[in-house]
Amino acid sequence: MGYIAKKIIQLILTLMLVSIITFAAFWVVPGDPARIILGPNATAEQVDSLSEELGLDRPISERYLQWLGSALTLNLGQSLSFKTPVNELIAQKLPVTIALSVISLMLTMAVSFPLAMIAARRPGKLTDHVVSVVTHSFFAVPPFVLSIFLTLIFGIGLKWFQVGVFIPHDRDFWGFIGCMIMPSIAIALPKIAMALKFIRSSILSEKEKDYVRTAKSHGLSDADVMRKHILPNALVPVITVFAIISADILGGSLIVEQVFGLPGIGRLLLQGISSRDFPLTEGIIIYLAGMIAIVYFVADILHSLIDPRIRLK
Amino acid sequence: MTYLSEPVLVVENLSLSFFDVNQNTSHPVLSKLNFDLRKGEVLGIVGDSGSGKTLTALTIAGLLPETAEVTSGRIMFEGKDLLKLNAQDRRKLLGDKIGMIFQEPLSSFNPLMTIGSHLNEVLTSHSKPQVPSDNADNRKSKIIDMLAHVGFTNPLRIYNAFPHQISGGQRQRALIAGTLLLKPTLLIADEPTTALDTVTQAQIVDQLKRISRSFNLSVLFISHDLMLVERICDRVAVMHNRRIVELETPKDILHTPTHPHTAKLIRSARSVRTPKDKQRIDYSDEHTPLIRVRNLSAGYNDSIFFGSAHHHEVLRDVNIDIYSGEILGLIGSSGCGKTTLTRVLTGLIPGTAGTISENGRLLSDFSNKKKSKRISVGLVFQDPYNSLNPTKTIGWLLEEPLRIHNICSRNERKKRVLQMLSDVGLASKYQNYLPHQLSGGQRQRVALAVSLMLSPSLIIADEPVSALDSSVQAQILELLYKINREKGVTFLFISHNLSVIRSICNRVAIMDDGKIIETGFIDDVFDKPRTLLASNLVKAETNYHPRSMRTIDSQ
Amino acid sequence: MQTDTVFFESFSRKSTAIRFIVAMMIFFVLTSIFGCRNPAESSAEVSSKDGIRSGGEVIVGITQEPSLFDPHTVVAAGDEEILFNIFEGLVKCTSDGQFVPALATDYTISEDATTYIFNIRTGVKFHNGDTLTPEDVVFSLKRASGLLTGTALKPDLAGIKDVRISGENEVTVEFISPDAEMIPFFTTAIIPESVSDIGSTPIGTGPFVFLEYRVGESVVLGKNNAYWQEGLPYLDKVTFKITAGMDAAFLELQSGSIDIFPYLTADKAEQIKDRYQILSGNTNMVQVLALNNAAEPFNNPLVRQAVNYAIDRQDLSNLIMEGQSTLLTTGMSPAMGDYYDATVDGTITYNPDKAKALLEEAGYPDGFRSTIKVPSNYQIHVDTAIVLADQLARVGIMVDIVSVDWATWLSDVYQGRNYDSTVIALTSEYTPRDVLSRYVSTSEGNFINYFNSDFDSIYSQIQSEISLDERIALYKQLQQLLVSDYASVYLQDPKNIVAVKNEIKGYLVYPIYVQDMSTVYFAE
Amino acid sequence: MIRITPVPAYKLYLTIGGIFSSLILMAILLSFIYMPYDTQATVYAAKFAPPSTEHIFGCDHFGRDVFSRTLEGARLTVFVSVFGVIIAMTLGGIFGSVAGYFGGWIDNIVMILSDSVMAFPGILLALVFVAVYGAGVYNIIWALGLVFFPSYARVFRTGIRQLKDREFILQASIIGVKPIRLVLIHIFPNLLPQLIPSIVIGLANMALSEAGMSYLGLGIQPPYASWGKMLKDAQSHVIEAPWTIIFPSLALLFYILGLYFVSEGISIRFGLGRHSK
């Protein structure tokens, strides 16, 4: 109980800090939202009247406190440029980003675990080296370049998918998932190298633990030793690594969304920043930071569920 | 009688080597081993680390690492050559016909599984279809029976416990229970008691002995402790340098060693126990002790979050006097507060109440929260592999105390380092070595040298020899002794090995649950222990080495 | 050895975890092959007439997020692209830059150019079914000109004194001062008086009806079946798909998932010409290397002159536009027709030696160091800056390119005027006044800090001048002043290159920033 | 048993890694000594010129020599990643050491601070940073340093917490070593096994992040070349001028794989925190 309470306090403090950092950033970044909305040809009067309409004439500290006050009631305010409640905008875009991240994460796991097991089967041997060199080659290519190549090969060349077609999840759920596959691959490929490296070394270090010898001396088959003893133990540190990877994936979707033309939260965020849309940006960042913090939180809980040494002191 | 029974295991001409992928070379680790093990017999294998005794065990069990290669010989077990069996058949023997227990009882268990599920695995992985009653309930009751059999009074609790929730001795017994579940014919015990404290050691060894008798079980007992092996084994094989150099009954080995290495082992085991003429120390009342600790309490704060702290008291009202020039022994079971006491004495953590004075001068008064001065103290740790910074050369490490206190010129410092190296019996070339290039004994010498560099009035030696091979142990004890006598350095000597304490200490203090419960001269405490704990400790020690004690006494 | 079999044995052991993993992998492979299908096949009912097939859907790629749907407050060019199809004014711009009556059937301008009288078209219906009335026209013009609230939503109409119904289907607009050039501004949208929030429920009289806007995805328009122009539009549905940028859009073009894409670069167009028709037209844009006339060293006319001679406009046009642009000398594009002063053509030519000499004369024999601030969201301006930097380096002017985001550009360069030089395209809607008003010293848009009192006085003269010929002459004088003062370096009027799928016809390229979808159809 | 590896694995790794890394190093050296073409010279006639003896890597959409730009890119990318890592490590080292050494509430504060930074999508922080202070080599280095410092703080903190109670550190503090010397001289060298891999990963991440930022238009300012910037510029010409994307990609691949191989070789050779015994 104390553990969870501590984590929740930490979560709240983190989110507070994140919102303050964002606020501070907006304080120093040049640019006037009203001018951006109206463009260069608008007159000063137009800009002023829009500013007043949007409440931009008030000092930013007052705006922040007001924002904070309503954020505590889970109302993130109204977007300046879209004149729509931020919650509504985020609710529209979040499924895309979450689906993208979850699929990428599953893909990373689905590929990295078997590969890591193959590599760790005989460390230092040819397969091991081949696997790590191949995955690291993917790691060495920026995600947007990977995205472009994937699009060229599978979208334009082989026509396995239609470039730029996006099917909203409320229209056709499986079609929506289908649109996420290629972007997910682009996000997941570099992460696989990272995950693989950690899982492999975790398996290898568990393999050398004394309990493995004990299990073998009890007559367990190698496969059983791997499945019942090595993998569960190897999983413990890997959970943390996957929490970090999840956070990375969330950040990485920002760029990949651009290439694949997915209307995710990342794109909304870039718009928020470039239009100096304070409530929108602040709202999205809080959501993203909250999601990342929750991922870490879940990782901690999982950790304690798997490992009795944390659970039962 | 055992000599007449048929052999269960015959090892013939067994050689093993390791292949180093990085160096692309192969080097031998076992050379032409020959021995046999009869039904119901306990065969001991002793030797220093690196002599090949553990590898012998692993070869028989078939648990060698991938880089190992059997280059010659055969291992006949119940009439079959184990080396000719395929991996699966070999595996089936393990746990069923051949049981194994290991040194480190904590890491021998998968931390994520309960003891019960570990033992259950032994049964399920050897499930025999012809046994109709093989179901979960039966298995559980079988396991609980076996746990009771190895001496657990509350087997159900152990069954449901996770490894970290029970003590080392309990884990080791649970492990033994696991190996016995399928009634094997051969048990390989690889240093099963080394990591345990004296009392538990004695219990486990007795248990093994009893089990061997009641199950008519052949045991291959591996240890570095000649005296321990002597106690429970029918025959002893001495390994040295990859070979078995001697294979005899314990009696023959002890009395008529034929190989020089055996003789050396015996000598070092005995020299520890040879009473020396100890320093004459003035314990009269008018003589102020070097260190006087009064009503010392100390503990730790478990910081939860931002200050809200929970204090956990470890030391309670500790009173202890250490006299100049003496070697004071400190005994106590693990977790009794010995380590905390050393931390407070060395100034690593503050106490919460009480005083420490040096030569009658008050140094620290924790009750008043006065800024305390440290006593000049050196510390020698148990694990020589961990007590030297692996990234620095020996010379650098020795020079560091002088350097940071800016004690003398550069050249003078170098000179003192060389002097100190020769004082602890190391050649001057070692100053350019890194710790990992040194043996355990050499490192312990360096550790002692480091703590001597600032000429402290007190050196706390925390189990300084327990991690070393017995032949090296004697040398290090000898060195401590020499330094105590020649330099007049005072020692607080912490150990759980009572015979070591007895042989080198002037006085001994017994600690339990954060308190000093008994202090006195060695002979007084050992012959007429006043407290129950002290008498238990002494009893365990004498049980443990009955014959060796006799040997010492008879000389 | 023994561990070889570990992995494969674990499969045979039917570990749930591994089965799950395998199932996931199969799932991914299958979905990646079959998952994504074309969402909608164009369903078109055929009503053939001159090879025009009525019906069908078209996807138009755009790169900017629309922000406002209120036609009177909209300023961003990207928004007007879309709104052109929803709203209409009394007059309408055509693809050749003419203004023809739309919701007005005809109009007359009084002799003194202070009164405009419009005859309102009858039988026009708004998208909500209401009929267009003269009251709607009066409401719309009053709203736009600020007669309702006091603030002119359309500053160009701020000179309106009164709007009134002057007869059956006749609306009269009175101006405070004479102005003969107001017709283009009557493109201002006519909106129904009954709709209170036009921004969220855009209802107009245009050929297409607003259906849906999904932030970051698309704006969807449907056919206005009751459109007053007989037979138009042809298409059932138009989707303006918001892409993440030119590069993302180009990938989609290559795969064919966008039907029409404007503002393409020439070399990109070259790559897709087998599937797309490449159309091009003038944009009436003035791309300029704007020099801050108030800051060192560009406050020195000699330096500005030197920079003008140091730039090789043809080379720039070749590199950036594959030559698909009109080179400029002054601050107006030849697209402005009669107003353009063709005599300035060729007065400034690439002459690096002269540039160096001028620099020396200006006191910079070894050149100087300076910066170009470019808005990073416009690739063309960044590219232009790269080429300019190279060309300027050849005469000793070392420029660092500082790319800033649009928001920073607006606040630092446009409003703060805190910069040495910048590359930007000056767009103008319809009139020469739009183009040249920004050089008046008091103008808000005069971010280059140009000051010439002659310019100011000629400009004020124009406003009261009624004679068209006189006005044209005065406009030409202004253009010459810009050249002789070397106000900035006028670079080019880039062509608007539009890719249109081969089977789609009827697309018209406008000289203004609009996408007219009413004439677009699928060929038989 | 048949041994398939005649060459020890670490030698193989070090050799390949050495070849890759030295190619990049040579590129940097070459860029200082001899640059075949002005990297910023725009030549219409050479627009999209394919690789030839004149331009061995071909030319880009402005007719700039890709080979020269790749050389310049090597300089910039390596500069950005190395100094980014140095800043991240310095900041992370200070914060992590303080947190790990003192523990308690200082630790809590530092960790919440670094958690907050980590909870930010990294690229976003860099984005805000660049929006405030403008793009440019030095700002990018600072932005990347700031984004990545929490992960280094964690490495240092965990390492120091583990080492702090190790006996040789206790020994050092008993003989009177002051905290700063203890951390710098006695602890840091022992962190190298954990630090070397995180430095390598850090260098790779910096190079990749720079590319990502360039993609969003926040990276290295034109007309200067970094590999990331070149890739971004080249992406729409993949089909007509594949050389504009292939060569910078290869350079990036060599850089990252070279680093990876070298660190792998080192860690196998010295058995740093690994399986090999």
Side-chain angles (χ1 to χ4, degrees), chain A residues 163-164 166 253-264 266-268 270-271 274, chain C residues 60-65 215-218 240-253 258 261 376-379, chain D residues 215-217 232 235:
Chain A
V163 183
F166 171 72
S253 70
L254 212 96
I255 289 177
V256 172
E257 273 174 16
Q258 302 292 304
V259 185
F260 284 94
L262 293 179
R267 212 159 118 188
L268 195 64
L270 289 181
Q271 281 160 9
S274 62
Chain C
V60 184
I62 54 174
T63 51
Q64 277 171 313
E65 184 82 38
V215 173
E217 289 169 46
S218 57
F240 287 90
K241 183 169 191 302
I242 304 151
T243 59
M246 178 73 102
D247 292 318
F250 185 59
L251 282 174
E252 294 185 31
L253 276 177
I258 292 178
F261 190 81
S376 59
N377 54 327
Y378 293 108
Q379 188 60 44
Chain D
Y215 183 76
L216 296 174
K232 189 252 178 298
Q235 67 155 307

Side-chain angles (χ1 to χ4, degrees), chain D residues 46-49 58-66 69 233 243-244:
Chain D
K47 183 167 179 170
F48 291 135
C59 290
D60 69 0
H61 58 300
F62 288 135
R64 296 175 297 190
D65 181 46
V66 174
R69 291 181 67 79
D233 290 345
W243 50 89
T244 54

Side-chain angles (χ1 to χ4, degrees), chain B residues 19 21-22 24 69 343 348 374 377 379 381 383 386-392 396 400-401 403-405, chain D residues 1 3 6 8-10 105 108-109 112 166-168 170-171 173-177 181 185-186 189-190 268:
Chain B
F19 182 76
V21 188
N22 291 336
N24 199 20
E69 226 181 322
R343 299 260 163 120
L348 287 173
R374 278 183 189 184
V377 56
L379 188 54
F381 296 94
D383 181 4
N386 217 345
S387 55
L388 300 177
N389 192 333
T391 54
K392 306 286 189 233
W396 193 95
E400 178 72 354
R403 197 184 297 121
I404 55 166
H405 291 286
Chain D
M1 195 197 283
R3 308 286 180 195
Y10 81 92
W105 61 271
N108 278 324
I109 287 180
I112 285 179
R166 288 276 291 279
E167 290 168 350
F168 66 87
L170 293 182
Q171 179 73 274
S173 51
I174 288 167
I175 61 172
V177 180
R181 186 180 170 88
I185 308 286
H186 291 257
N190 288 289
I268 293 177

Side-chain angles (χ1 to χ4, degrees), chain A residues 36-215:
Chain A
I36 297 152
I37 293 169
L38 294 174
N41 287 343
T43 61
E45 289 144 42
Q46 283 176 303
V47 173
D48 287 346
S49 83
L50 184 62
S51 284
E52 204 176 328
E53 193 189 322
L54 298 174
L56 298 174
D57 45 346
R58 288 175 296 131
I60 189 158
S61 57
E62 191 188 318
R63 279 155 57 203
Y64 175 72
L65 286 178
Q66 197 205 359
W67 177 87
L68 190 66
S70 68
L72 291 177
T73 63
L74 300 180
N75 171 16
L76 293 174
Q78 177 119 357
S79 154
L80 303 180
S81 46
F82 295 113
K83 298 198 167 163
T84 317
V86 171
N87 279 330
E88 212 173 277
L89 285 171
I90 292 176
Q92 258 182 46
K93 304 296 156 199
L94 206 58
V96 177
T97 305
I98 289 183
L100 191 59
S101 304
V102 169
I103 296 174
S104 310
L105 186 65
M106 291 204 296
L107 205 61
T108 311
M109 288 195 211
V111 177
S112 59
F113 269 102
L115 279 186
M117 279 160 69
I118 291 172
R121 195 155 51 104
R122 300 183 67 184
K125 292 289 153 55
L126 195 64
T127 32
D128 181 22
H129 294 312
V130 168
V131 164
S132 63
V133 168
V134 168
T135 52
H136 272 83
S137 310
F138 284 117
F139 177 69
V141 182
F144 70 87
V145 177
L146 265 181
S147 305
I148 291 161
F149 281 123
L150 284 176
T151 310
L152 281 177
I153 295 167
F154 297 107
I156 295 166
L158 297 172
K159 301 212 182 297
W160 282 11
F161 72 103
Q162 267 215 307
V163 183
V165 168
F166 171 72
I167 304 164
H169 64 102
D170 45 10
R171 198 173 299 156
D172 172 5
F173 182 74
W174 290 106
F176 167 74
I177 297 292
C179 297
M180 300 287 160
I181 300 296
M182 276 296 148
S184 308
I185 292 174
I187 297 174
L189 276 178
K191 299 296 161 207
I192 287 170
M194 194 176 158
L196 178 100
K197 197 177 160 79
F198 278 101
I199 300 170
R200 175 183 169 277
S201 68
S202 183
I203 289 178
L204 285 179
S205 74
E206 289 304 318
K207 243 181 155 175
E208 303 203 328
K209 294 271 171 75
D210 290 341
Y211 68 81
V212 172
R213 210 172 45 178
T214 310

